Amino acid sequence: MEKRIMEGQLAAFRQWLLEEEREPATIEKYLREVELFATWMEGQPVTKEQVARWKAHLTASGFRPGTVNGKLSALNKFLSFLGWSDCRVKYLRIQRRVFRNTDRELTKDEYLRLLGTAQEMGRERLTLLIETICATGIRVSEVRYITMEAAQAGRAEITLKGKIRVILLPGKLCRKLVKYARKRKITSGEIFLTRSGRSLSRRQIWAEMKALCTKAGVERSKVFPHNLRHLFARLFYRACRDVVKLADILGHSSLDTTRIYLISTGAEHARQLERLGLVS
């Protein structure tokens, strides 16, 4: 029997992802990738050979290996949902990264410049938001868990993907959050809201952060919410040298994922080699 992608299957897939408690952004990404594949297929039957051709097409189109694997992950998930596991393909093999690109690594000095710029521009909400993400290591999708109750208790309970973890909030940050919330007459619930009282979207947070780059003198390629999480991870690890504790704080189920956050730049590695004193 031929396997063809039908509109009703996408709706059922969305519902299944909702029941799996996937994040809204994740659901939209999965659906977007499946729809791109369906458009490329032009109604043809789905086979493993066709999926392999899609994989080759993505690679030939210039997508990075990690991006290709992300697209394949979404499609493979959809194929498994339909019971078409025989059509799944393997991911591209990516050599483990040894060094981080310096053009992507946000330094603490650059972070402080972003904060200073946001303050100079009178962007109080953005300043506090950047501080909150960087001081706690939360994901941008977890900003909604920073509530008045959490600020008053000094801890936020985050529930994602069926897992619950507790994030401790620094005392100074809590005081800032409470002061900010009271100033805006927020007595309970989320602290970071739009003027209309809605949650801040991922896109809005990205856009507001990018708007600081030129004045702060920081490369746009370094400025995005997840890079604040990476900065937190590096600084936390330097302070305690405990990768297990860091994995717990970041909500990682695999230490391999946490280690990706700790990849150093080639320049840092070179300094370490010099300190060994092995060349006379």
Side-chain angles (χ1 to χ4, degrees):
M1 183 177 178
E2 290 185 339
K3 301 166 182 172
R4 297 179 187 273
I5 298 176
M6 311 295 287
E7 187 173 338
Q9 293 167 334
L10 289 172
F13 184 48
R14 176 190 288 274
Q15 183 58 39
W16 180 76
L17 291 171
L18 285 170
E19 292 171 357
E20 288 286 302
E21 298 182 1
R22 297 282 182 168
E23 282 293 292
T26 300
I27 293 175
E28 294 309 314
K29 180 183 184 302
Y30 279 5
L31 292 172
R32 183 171 61 251
E33 302 299 359
V34 173
E35 287 170 352
L36 284 173
F37 172 72
T39 300
W40 181 80
M41 286 290 292
E42 297 181 329
Q44 299 177 72
V46 177
T47 64
K48 184 165 186 171
E49 290 70 27
Q50 287 286 52
V51 178
R53 283 185 58 226
W54 171 244
K55 173 181 172 181
H57 166 72
L58 293 173
T59 303
S61 297
F63 289 106
R64 293 181 178 180
T67 302
V68 173
N69 284 347
K71 292 176 179 294
L72 291 176
S73 176
L75 181 57
N76 280 342
K77 183 79 69 176
F78 177 67
L79 296 173
S80 293
F81 165 73
L82 294 178
W84 299 350
S85 295
D86 58 316
C87 295
R88 290 166 50 105
V89 296
K90 293 182 179 180
Y91 301 115
L92 295 176
R93 295 185 64 180
I94 303 175
Q95 183 178 359
R96 182 172 177 178
R97 289 173 59 193
V98 178
F99 302 118
R100 182 189 302 279
N101 294 333
T102 55
D103 62 345
R104 295 276 288 179
E105 181 170 295
L106 183 71
T107 66
K108 185 176 180 180
D109 178 65
E110 289 169 331
Y111 159 71
L112 293 174
R113 293 214 305 271
L114 288 171
L115 280 183
T117 300
Q119 289 175 331
E120 290 174 12
M121 296 173 66
R123 306 294 295 278
E124 185 179 10
R125 183 186 67 191
L126 181 57
T127 303
L128 187 54
L129 178 59
I130 291 174
E131 278 188 312
T132 300
I133 295 175
C134 200
T136 59
I138 60 174
R139 302 176 178 90
V140 67
S141 61
E142 297 170 339
V143 168
R144 68 178 186 271
Y145 291 96
I146 304 300
T147 63
M148 184 61 158
E149 291 81 0
Q152 291 174 325
R155 51 198 289 147
E157 188 173 278
I158 294 175
T159 306
L160 279 178
K161 301 179 182 179
K163 297 185 294 185
I164 299 176
R165 80 180 194 280
V166 174
I167 296 296
L168 299 180
L169 307 179
K172 188 174 182 179
L173 176 63
C174 288
R175 291 190 289 275
K176 284 189 171 186
L177 288 168
V178 170
K179 181 179 179 180
Y180 172 86
R182 286 175 176 165
K183 186 176 178 180
R184 281 153 183 74
K185 297 182 170 50
I186 298 173
T187 57
S188 65
E190 292 180 54
I191 290 178
F192 295 107
L193 301 169
T194 64
R195 291 180 179 179
S196 60
R198 296 182 178 181
S199 301
L200 289 175
S201 69
R202 180 191 304 258
R203 181 176 297 179
Q204 183 172 355
I205 295 173
W206 268 63
E208 291 189 10
M209 285 183 62
K210 292 288 187 184
L212 301 174
C213 296
T214 301
K215 191 171 182 180
V218 181
E219 292 294 329
R220 289 177 60 85
S221 61
K222 297 183 178 185
V223 182
F224 51 95
H226 205 70
N227 235 10
L228 297 175
R229 180 170 159 88
H230 275 269
L231 177 57
F232 166 85
R234 296 198 307 275
L235 295 179
F236 183 93
Y237 182 73
R238 287 176 193 169
C240 72
R241 296 291 172 179
D242 190 333
V243 70
V244 175
K245 183 180 292 184
L246 176 59
D248 289 339
I249 291 174
L250 295 177
H252 292 158
S253 55
S254 169
L255 291 182
D256 286 338
T257 303
T258 309
R259 290 191 180 99
I260 292 173
Y261 284 61
L262 304 178
I263 296 173
S264 63
T265 64
E268 183 177 339
H269 185 71
R271 287 195 296 270
Q272 291 172 343
L273 291 178
E274 293 292 341
R275 286 197 291 268
L276 293 178
L278 297 177
V279 180
S280 60

